[in-house]
C-alpha cells in the first residue's frame, strides 16, 4: 500500500468511502464530473470552426481547417479525458508534488529539481522553431479553454486532493517529454549496481556476472574503481520509490515493432506493427485520436500532454517505435575540497556551479534546496540520502555527478511534428535528425512500398567504449567527446529479406559505436524473426497472432538444462516426477491455464537466488536483479559453463556444481509452491499467480475504493521473454506490472483503416463508461478498427462537439 496516501490526500478513509458512495449514487455529481461530448463552445483562439466527433469508444475525430485549430482541439480533448494524469506528470517533473501531497513527496521534488528537468525544458523551448512553438501554444490554449469552462467540475481527483490545476504552458509539454525520457532511461541504474559488485568482489570475479553480448566490446574496468568511496543509493532508492508512487513499475521498458514489405505481405502492400511495453496504469498511457487539418490526416496514438501523434500514420507513411536502450547517462566520482565549493579536474580546482531553489510544501514551511553542478552536470549524491546500501558510518560516501543527454536542449517534439507531416522516407529521415531522447528504434513504411529503420538517439562518444560503471571525475578523460553524427547512425532501407524487426536488441550488428550493454534477452527478437521468416507472406491477422504470442525462446533453451540435470538422479517425490514430466512435454508457451509456467518461473527465481544470494546477500541481490534483463542474461551466460564459482555455495562445506544448483532450485520451487498453495500440482495454473491489475494512482488507499478505481486483477499469460510481454519482478513475483501498453497494426492495402487496442479505455474518469471499455478485448487478444476518413463517417459518429470562433477574449 502506498503510505503517502494516508498522509497526503487529507481525507479520512471513512470519508473517502462515504464520498465515493455518494458519487456512485448521485447523478448530479456523476454528470458534473464527466466531460461533455456534445454541444458548442466558443473561443477567440481558433481561426475557424472546428468539429470534434466521437465514436462509441470515445475516440475523437478532429476536423479542422488548419494545424493550430487542430491542436487546440487536441489539447481540449486531452484535458477533457486526462487532465489529472497530465497535471500529475508535469508537477512531478517541475518538482512541485509537495505543494499538493505534502512532505511525503519531498524526496521526489528534490530529485527532479536537482536534476534540472524544468531548466532542461526551458533550454529546449528556447531552441524550438516558430511552427513548433505555435503548435505548443495552440495546444496549451485548448487545455486552458477546458480549465476556464470547467473550473467547478474538474475530475474528482482534484476534489479529493483539494487543489485546482494551474494554467497549462508550452513548457509543461516539454517537461512531460523529458519525464518520458527519464522513465525509459534504465541503463544508469546498473552503473551503480555493477560498480558496487566490482568494489565488493574485485574486477575478475565481478566481470563474470556483468551482462555481455558477443557483438559488444569488453568491459574496461579502472583499477581506481575498487578503491573509490562507497556510493550512497539516495538517487536509486528515491527513483524506485518515485516510480512506484507514479505507477511506473516494471523494467522491461521496451517494445516490439516490425514491418514487412509488399513481397512478404499477403495484401501486396507493407504491413507494420507495434506494441510498446510500458508500466500498466489506469487510465492507459496512450490516447487514440484522428486529426484532420486541412487536406492532411494524421492518426494514431498520442500522449496526453504532448501535441503530436507519437505512433501511427498519415496519408503517406506509418511509423512505430521501440526503446533503443541507449546508454546516454553517465555518473562520475567527484573530489571536492574542504569548503565543498570546488571540484578537482585535471589536477586543478574548479569552481562548482551553485544555485538555490525553493520547494513549497503543503501545510509546511518552504524548504530551500542548494544545488551544485560540475561542467558535466548536477551532483546527485545528496538526493535524499537516507537509505545507503552500507550502514558503515566510518566509510566515506562518494560525491557523484550525472551527465545525461536529456538535460541538454533538444527538439524531440519538433521531430514528431515533422514526422506527422512527412510524405516520404527522405522527409521522415530528415525529421529524425534532431531526435535525441528517449532514444527510439523507428521502423517505417510508406505507400510507395518502402520499409526502413532509423536509430533515433543521441549517442555519446566516449574514450571508454564499454561504459556501464561510475567514472573517475577528476580527469576529463572520462568526458564525452561529442556525439555520433546523425549521418553515421544505424539505418536500414529496403533490406533484401523483406522485413525489419526490433525488440530492444542491437539491430545493426556491425555498428562500431557504443549504444548499450543493456540489450534485452534475445528471446523476443528470436521469436519475431522466426515467425517472420518461416512464412513466405504475412497478413494483418497473422500480425495479431504474433503480438499475442506467448512462446518463450528463452525457456526453450533453459528447460533442457533442467531436464539434463536430473537425467541420472533417483527421484522418489511424486510432484518432482510430475514436474519433470510436464517440463519435458512443455511447448514453452506461457499460457495462463498451464501449470508448467508456474513451476518454471518459480524455478528460475530460485535459481537466481541460489546462484547469487550466498555471496551477494539480499540487499546486493535485490539491487542486481532489479533490472530484470540482467539476471535473465547472466544466468544464461553462467549456464554455458560447468565450473563457474558462482554456483558454489560458499556457506556450505561441499562444492556445488551447476547441476547441483539446478536440482536444488527445482526442489526449492516445488516446496515453496506446495507450502503456499497445495500439494495438488494441477491447481498451479500460471494465471493463479500471474495476474494483471491496471491501477489508478490512488490505488491502495482503501479496498472499497480500489474496486472502483482499479481494473482487475485478471489472470494473464506470458513472462518477460515472450513477445506478448508479461513481465514480473524477480524481487516481488509474480504480478504483471508491465506489458503491451497498446497494440497497433496497419496494412497499407487498407489505407483508411488501422487496427489497434488499448488495455483500458480512452477516459481517465473512473466513473466513465470509457474508463475500461477496451479491457476485455485487450485481454482476449482482440482489436478494434479505426477509420480515418472523417467526412465519410460523420453520420455514424455518436457525439459532436463544435468549437466556434468568436472575437472576444476568453
Amino acid at each position: 500500500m502506498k503510505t503517502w496516501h494516508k498522509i497526503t490526500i487529507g481525507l479520512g478513509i471513512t470519508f473517502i468511502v462515504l464520498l465515493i458512495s455518494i458519487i456512485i449514487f448521485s447523478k448530479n455529481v456523476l454528470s458534473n464530473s464527466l466531460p461533455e461530448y456534445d454541444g458548442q463552445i466558443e473561443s477567440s483562439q481558433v481561426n475557424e470552426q472546428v468539429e470534434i466527433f466521437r465514436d462509441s469508444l470515445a475516440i475523437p475525430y478532429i476536423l479542422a481547417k488548419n494545424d493550430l485549430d487542430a491542436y487546440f482541439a487536441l489539447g481540449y480533448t486531452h484535458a477533457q479525458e486526462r487532465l489529472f494524469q497530465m497535471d500529475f506528470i508535469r508537477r512531478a517533473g517541475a518538482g512541485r508534488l509537495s505543494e499538493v501531497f505534502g512532505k511525503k513527496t519531498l524526496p521526489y521534488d528534490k530529485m527532479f529539481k536537482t536534476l534540472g528537468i524544468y531548466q532542461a525544458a526551458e533550454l529546449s523551448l528556447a531552441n524550438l522553431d516558430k511552427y513548433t512553438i505555435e503548435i505548443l501554444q495552440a495546444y496549451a490554449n485548448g487545455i486552458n479553454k477546458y480549465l476556464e469552462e470547467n473550473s467547478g467540475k474538474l475530475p474528482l481527483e482534484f476534489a479529493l486532493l483539494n487543489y485546482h490545476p494551474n494554467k497549462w504552458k508550452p513548457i509543461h509539454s516539454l517537461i512531460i517529454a523529458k519525464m518520458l525520457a527519464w522513465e525509459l532511461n534504465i541503463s544508469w541504474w546498473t552503473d551503480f549496481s555493477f560498480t558496487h559488485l566490482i568494489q565488493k568482489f574485485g574486477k575478475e570475479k565481478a566481470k563474470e556476472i556483468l551482462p555481455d553480448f558477443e557483438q559488444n566490446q569488453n568491459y574496461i574496468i579502472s583499477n581506481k574503481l575498487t578503491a573509490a568511496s562507497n556510493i550512497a543509493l539516495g538517487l536509486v532508492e528515491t527513483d524506485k520509490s518515485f516510480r512506484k508512487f507514479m505507477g511506473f513499475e516494471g523494467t522491461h521498458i521496451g517494445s516490439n515493432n516490425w514491418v514487412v514489405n509488399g513481397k512478404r505481405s499477403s495484401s501486396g502492400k507493407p504491413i507494420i506493427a507495434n506494441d510498446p511495453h510500458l508500466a500498466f496504469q489506469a487510465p492507459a498511457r496512450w490516447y487514440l485520436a484522428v486529426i484532420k487539418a486541412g487536406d492532411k490526416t494524421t492518426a494514431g496514438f498520442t500522449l496526453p500532454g504532448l501535441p503530436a501523434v507519437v505512433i501511427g500514420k498519415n496519408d503517406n507513411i506509418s511509423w512505430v517505435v521501440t526503446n533503443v536502450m541507449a546508454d546516454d547517462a553517465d555518473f562520475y566520482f567527484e573530489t571536492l575540497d574542504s569548503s565543498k565549493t570546488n571540484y578537482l579536474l585535471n589536477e586543478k580546482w574548479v569552481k562548482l556551479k551553485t544555485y538555490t531553489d525553493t520547494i513549497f510544501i503543503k501545510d509546511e514551511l518552504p524548504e530551500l534546496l542548494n544545488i551544485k553542478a560540475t561542467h558535466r552536470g548536477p551532483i546527485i549524491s545528496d538526493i535524499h540520502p537516507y537509505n545507503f546500501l552500507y550502514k558503515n558510518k566510518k566509510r566515506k560516501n562518494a560525491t557523484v555527478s550525472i551527465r545525461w543527454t536529456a538535460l541538454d536542449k533538444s527538439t524531440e517534439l519538433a521531430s514528431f511534428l515533422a514526422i506527422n507531416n512527412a510524405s516520404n522516407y527522405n522527409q521522415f529521415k530528415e525529421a529524425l535528425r534532431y531526435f535525441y531522447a528517449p532514444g527510439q528504434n523507428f521502423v517505417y513504411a510508406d505507400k510507395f512500398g518502402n520499409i526502413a529503420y532509423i536509430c533515433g538517439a543521441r549517442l555519446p562518444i566516449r574514450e571508454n567504449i564499454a561504459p556501464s560503471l561510475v567514472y573517475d571525475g577528476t580527469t576529463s578523460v572520462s568526458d564525452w567527446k561529442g556525439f555520433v553524427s546523425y549521418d553515421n547512425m544505424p539505418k536500414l532501407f529496403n533490406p533484401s529479406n523483406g522485413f525489419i524487426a526490433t525488440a530492444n536488441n542491437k539491430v545493426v550488428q556491425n555498428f562500431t559505436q557504443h549504444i548499450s550493454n543493456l540489450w534485452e534477452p534475445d528471446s523476443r527478437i528470436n521469436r519475431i524473426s522466426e515467425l517472420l521468416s518461416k512464412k513466405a507472406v504475412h497478413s494483418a491477422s497473422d500480425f495479431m497472432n504474433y503480438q499475442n504470442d506467448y512462446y518463450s525462446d528463452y525457456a526453450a533453451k533453459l528447460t533442457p538444462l533442467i531436464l539434463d540435470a536430473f537425467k541420472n538422479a533417483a527421484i522418489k517425490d511424486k510432484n518432482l516426477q510430475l514436474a519433470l514430466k510436464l517440463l519435458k512435454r512443455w511447448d514453452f508457451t506461457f499460457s495462463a491455464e498451464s501449470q508448467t509456467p508456474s513451476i518454471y518461473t518459480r524455478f528460475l527465481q530460485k535459481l537466481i537466488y541460489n546462484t547469487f544470494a550466498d555471496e551477494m546477500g539480499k540487499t546486493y541481490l535485490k539491487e542486481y536483479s532489479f533490472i530484470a534483463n540482467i539476471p535473465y542474461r547472466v544466468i544464461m551466460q553462467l549456464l554455458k559453463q560447468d565450473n563457474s564459482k558462482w554456483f558454489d555455495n560458499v556457506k556450505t562445506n561441499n562444492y556445488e556444481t551447476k547441476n547441483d544448483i539446478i536440482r536444488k532450485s527445482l526442489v526449492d520451487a516445488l516446496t515453496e509452491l506446495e507450502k503456499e498453495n497445495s500439494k495438488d500440482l494441477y491447481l498451479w495454473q500460471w494465471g493463479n499467480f500471474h495476474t494483471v491489475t491496471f491501477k489508478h494512482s490512488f490505488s491502495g488507499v482503501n479496498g472499497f475504493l480500489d474496486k472502483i478505481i482499479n481494473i482487475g486483477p485478471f489472470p494473464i499469460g506470458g513472462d518477460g521473454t515472450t513477445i506478448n510481454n508479461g513481465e514480473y519482478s524477480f524481487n516481488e513475483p509474480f504480478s504483471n506490472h508491465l506489458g503491451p501498453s497498446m497494440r497497433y497494426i496497419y496494412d497499407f492495402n487498407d489505407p483508411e483503416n488501422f487496427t489497434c487496442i488499448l488495455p483500458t479505455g480512452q477516459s481517465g474518469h473512473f466513473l466513465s463508461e470509457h474508463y475500461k471499455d477496451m479491457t476485455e478485448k485487450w485481454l482476449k487478444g482482440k482489436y478494434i478498427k479505426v477509420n480515418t476518413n472523417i467526412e465519410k463517417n460523420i453520420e455514424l459518429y455518436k457525439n459532436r462537439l463544435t468549437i466556434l470562433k468568436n472575437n472576444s477574449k476568453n
Side-chain angles (χ1 to χ4, degrees):
M1 185 167 70
K2 297 177 183 176
T3 55
W4 58 267
H5 284 304
K6 296 178 182 178
I7 299 173
T8 58
I9 289 181
L11 297 168
I13 297 300
T14 303
F15 182 66
I16 291 175
V17 174
L18 178 63
L19 178 61
I20 296 301
S21 300
I22 292 171
I23 290 168
I24 292 172
F25 295 108
S26 171
K27 291 184 179 179
N28 291 332
V29 174
L30 176 63
S31 61
N32 203 39
S33 64
L34 295 179
E36 293 286 346
Y37 294 159
D38 293 290
Q40 293 182 350
I41 61 172
E42 295 184 355
S43 175
S44 63
Q45 293 171 324
V46 294
N47 298 300
E48 299 183 67
Q49 180 173 313
V50 185
E51 305 283 359
I52 305 174
F53 303 97
R54 281 183 172 87
D55 62 17
S56 60
L57 293 169
I59 298 170
Y61 299 78
I62 296 170
L63 188 59
K65 294 183 180 178
N66 59 76
D67 289 355
L68 296 182
D69 290 351
Y71 284 103
F72 177 97
L74 182 65
Y76 191 88
T77 60
H78 277 172
Q80 281 185 300
E81 300 286 22
R82 304 291 187 87
L83 185 61
F84 180 72
Q85 182 184 39
M86 295 157 60
D87 188 68
F88 200 22
I89 299 173
R90 71 164 168 170
R91 231 171 227 291
R96 298 184 60 184
L97 287 171
S98 299
E99 296 175 19
V100 173
F101 294 102
K103 200 167 185 178
K104 195 72 178 179
T105 57
L106 188 57
Y108 313 144
D109 289 342
K110 284 184 176 180
M111 178 169 68
F112 288 114
K113 280 185 175 289
T114 300
L115 285 168
I117 295 290
Y118 190 93
Q119 288 80 1
E122 282 184 318
L123 283 174
S124 297
L125 183 63
N127 200 44
L128 291 175
D129 60 280
K130 181 182 178 183
Y131 171 77
T132 303
I133 292 173
E134 288 177 345
I135 293 294
L136 280 166
Q137 187 60 61
Y139 178 78
N141 291 342
I143 297 171
N144 293 330
K145 177 63 178 175
Y146 180 77
L147 281 171
E148 292 164 9
E149 289 195 333
N150 297 276
S151 60
K153 50 181 183 177
L154 293 175
L156 294 169
E157 290 89 343
F158 293 106
L160 291 171
L161 291 169
N162 192 29
Y163 83 98
H164 192 282
N166 298 324
K167 289 184 69 173
W168 197 270
K169 299 178 181 179
I171 194 172
H172 295 144
S173 294
L174 301 186
I175 288 172
I176 287 179
K178 297 289 184 185
M179 290 298 285
L180 180 63
W182 180 256
E183 180 185 357
L184 294 183
N185 178 12
I186 64 170
S187 67
W188 67 264
W189 282 335
T190 59
D191 290 4
F192 289 136
S193 176
F194 295 168
T195 299
H196 288 147
L197 293 177
I198 291 164
Q199 289 177 331
K200 182 175 178 66
F201 298 115
K203 289 167 57 174
E204 294 309 313
K205 188 172 178 62
K207 212 169 185 179
E208 194 176 357
I209 57 169
L210 300 184
D212 205 2
F213 279 110
E214 292 179 0
Q215 62 264 36
N216 281 4
Q217 297 288 333
N218 293 326
Y219 286 88
I220 300 172
I221 301 173
S222 169
N223 290 326
K224 291 183 178 181
L225 200 57
T226 56
S229 298
N230 171 55
I231 304 170
L233 285 181
L235 177 66
V236 176
E237 294 304 322
T238 299
D239 188 51
K240 287 180 184 177
S241 175
F242 167 75
R243 288 171 189 255
K244 195 166 187 176
F245 171 80
M246 297 293 288
F248 295 166
E249 296 186 71
T251 62
H252 280 294
I253 304 173
S255 307
N256 307 307
N257 64 15
W258 61 81
V259 64
V260 296
N261 65 16
K263 293 180 180 179
R264 301 297 306 276
S265 161
S266 60
S267 72
K269 297 285 187 179
I271 309 177
I272 194 168
N274 197 189
D275 56 310
H277 302 157
L278 296 171
F280 289 135
Q281 296 176 305
R285 204 61 82 79
W286 302 98
Y287 181 80
L288 279 160
V290 178
I291 306 165
K292 183 164 187 183
D295 60 356
K296 61 185 179 183
T297 300
T298 311
F301 295 86
T302 67
L303 285 168
L306 296 178
V309 173
V310 177
I311 297 169
K313 63 177 288 291
N314 62 26
D315 298 319
N316 300 292
I317 72 169
S318 179
W319 62 97
V320 293
V321 302
T322 67
N323 196 1
V324 168
M325 315 299 283
D327 189 354
D328 59 3
D330 282 339
F331 294 87
Y332 302 84
F333 289 111
E334 303 291 354
T335 299
L336 305 186
D337 65 2
S338 58
S339 69
K340 307 296 184 185
T341 59
N342 300 290
Y343 66 103
L344 188 64
L345 181 67
N346 297 330
E347 301 182 347
K348 294 181 180 179
W349 292 107
V350 180
K351 194 76 173 176
L352 284 165
K353 301 172 187 175
T354 60
Y355 61 97
T356 302
D357 205 341
T358 304
I359 302 175
F360 294 94
I361 309 167
K362 182 180 180 181
D363 300 328
E364 300 275 349
L365 292 174
E367 182 162 324
L368 293 179
L369 179 64
N370 296 314
I371 300 168
K372 301 176 182 179
T374 72
H375 68 289
R376 302 182 186 99
I379 291 174
I380 50 79
S381 44
D382 291 334
I383 293 177
H384 197 46
Y386 64 79
N387 192 356
F388 296 156
L389 180 60
Y390 303 101
K391 302 301 181 183
N392 186 350
K393 294 181 179 180
K394 295 180 180 179
R395 186 163 187 177
K396 182 182 177 183
N397 288 308
T399 300
V400 180
S401 64
I402 185 175
R403 174 82 166 96
W404 180 37
T405 57
L407 296 181
D408 297 346
K409 60 184 179 183
S410 57
T411 55
E412 289 83 14
L413 183 59
S415 287
F416 270 123
L417 291 174
I419 290 170
N420 287 190
N421 293 327
S423 298
N424 53 52
Y425 174 69
N426 285 334
Q427 291 178 5
F428 173 78
K429 183 171 67 173
E430 189 59 28
L432 284 173
R433 182 174 291 277
Y434 302 105
F435 187 93
Y436 296 157
Q440 296 293 295
N441 294 305
F442 285 85
V443 167
Y444 163 98
D446 63 36
K447 68 179 183 180
F448 310 107
N450 299 305
I451 64 173
Y453 160 81
I454 296 176
C455 177
R458 200 180 194 200
L459 301 179
I461 299 173
R462 304 165 170 101
E463 184 166 310
N464 179 349
I465 200 169
S468 282
L469 306 168
V470 182
Y471 288 123
D472 176 10
T474 64
T475 171
S476 59
V477 170
S478 304
D479 286 5
W480 294 353
K481 314 304 179 187
F483 299 92
V484 178
S485 72
Y486 178 67
D487 293 333
N488 292 329
M489 290 290 282
K491 299 179 185 68
L492 294 172
F493 186 71
N494 288 334
S496 58
N497 65 356
F499 73 84
I500 300 170
T502 80
N504 319 117
N505 58 301
K506 190 170 185 178
V507 180
V508 180
Q509 301 303 326
N510 59 356
F511 187 66
T512 57
Q513 294 289 344
H514 173 75
I515 301 175
S516 178
N517 283 326
L518 287 177
W519 310 115
E520 282 286 299
D522 57 10
S523 185
R524 284 187 290 117
I525 190 61
N526 287 349
R527 179 60 170 167
I528 294 168
S529 299
E530 176 193 1
L531 292 170
L532 295 177
S533 298
K534 72 180 183 181
K535 288 182 63 174
V537 296
H538 307 267
S539 65
S541 180
D542 289 330
F543 278 21
M544 294 179 196
N545 292 331
Y546 302 164
Q547 286 185 336
N548 288 278
D549 186 81
Y550 280 141
Y551 177 88
S552 170
D553 179 76
Y554 188 94
K557 292 174 180 175
L558 179 55
T559 304
L561 300 177
I562 304 173
L563 298 172
D564 187 64
F566 283 91
K567 188 176 291 183
N568 298 315
I571 303 170
K572 296 181 180 180
D573 184 85
K574 290 184 178 180
N575 268 351
L576 180 55
Q577 291 173 347
L578 183 53
L580 289 168
K581 284 182 181 179
L582 290 174
L583 288 167
K584 188 174 182 179
R585 297 171 185 171
W586 192 27
D587 63 357
F588 316 116
T589 298
F590 280 74
S591 166
E593 297 75 31
S594 173
Q595 296 87 357
T596 316
S598 303
I599 298 167
Y600 167 87
T601 53
R602 193 69 62 117
F603 158 79
L604 181 57
Q605 182 198 14
K606 294 300 179 185
L607 179 63
I608 293 168
Y609 181 86
N610 289 333
T611 302
F612 299 121
D614 59 309
E615 293 181 78
M616 286 189 185
K618 289 184 179 180
T619 303
Y620 265 118
L621 180 55
K622 187 174 182 179
E623 180 189 2
Y624 179 71
S625 59
F626 179 70
I627 304 294
N629 78 34
I630 303 303
Y632 268 123
R633 286 172 48 196
V634 171
I635 280 291
M636 199 60 81
Q637 287 174 199
L638 293 179
L639 288 173
K640 293 176 182 178
Q641 310 171 35
D642 289 325
N643 58 350
S644 172
K645 291 181 180 179
W646 283 98
F647 290 122
D648 177 43
N649 187 338
V650 298
K651 295 183 178 180
T652 68
N653 294 325
N654 298 324
Y655 186 90
E656 286 81 9
T657 66
K658 174 179 74 175
N659 283 344
D660 289 332
I661 295 301
I662 289 175
R663 287 192 292 266
K664 174 176 170 52
S665 298
L666 185 57
V667 171
D668 288 353
L670 296 175
T671 300
E672 191 171 90
L673 284 165
E674 290 171 350
K675 184 178 179 180
E676 291 179 0
N677 304 280
S678 82
K679 289 196 173 185
D680 187 352
L681 188 149
Y682 288 101
L683 299 177
W684 298 352
Q685 285 87 359
W686 180 222
N688 292 339
F689 308 100
H690 189 238
T691 62
V692 61
T693 302
F694 306 103
K695 294 181 180 181
H696 187 279
S697 55
F698 286 0
S699 177
V701 176
N702 174 267
F704 178 81
L705 180 62
D706 283 354
K707 291 178 181 179
I708 300 169
I709 62 177
N710 291 344
I711 306 168
F714 305 102
I716 194 167
D719 83 333
T721 64
T722 55
I723 293 178
N724 193 353
N725 191 342
E727 181 198 357
Y728 61 87
S729 168
F730 289 122
N731 295 327
E732 298 175 6
F734 287 91
S735 295
N736 180 199
H737 294 300
L738 176 150
S741 57
M742 63 81 161
R743 298 186 180 107
Y744 167 77
I745 299 169
Y746 176 52
D747 185 343
F748 277 81
N749 192 51
D750 187 11
E752 290 185 355
N753 294 286
F754 66 90
T755 305
C756 65
I757 196 68
L758 292 174
T760 57
Q762 284 281 91
S763 182
H765 299 265
F766 54 80
L767 297 175
S768 167
E769 64 179 305
H770 303 299
Y771 186 60
K772 55 183 178 181
D773 54 353
M774 296 191 210
T775 301
E776 185 176 354
K777 287 182 181 292
W778 182 91
L779 288 166
K780 293 180 178 179
K782 296 183 178 181
Y783 294 75
I784 63 170
K785 186 165 281 191
V786 176
N787 188 287
T788 59
N789 189 330
I790 299 178
E791 290 97 331
K792 178 181 175 181
N793 296 294
I794 285 177
E795 299 303 319
L796 302 176
Y797 295 128
K798 184 179 178 182
N799 305 98
R800 181 173 189 164
L801 178 67
T802 302
I803 305 175
L804 299 171
K805 176 179 175 57
N806 68 28
N807 295 317
S808 62
K809 291 186 177 181
N810 61 351

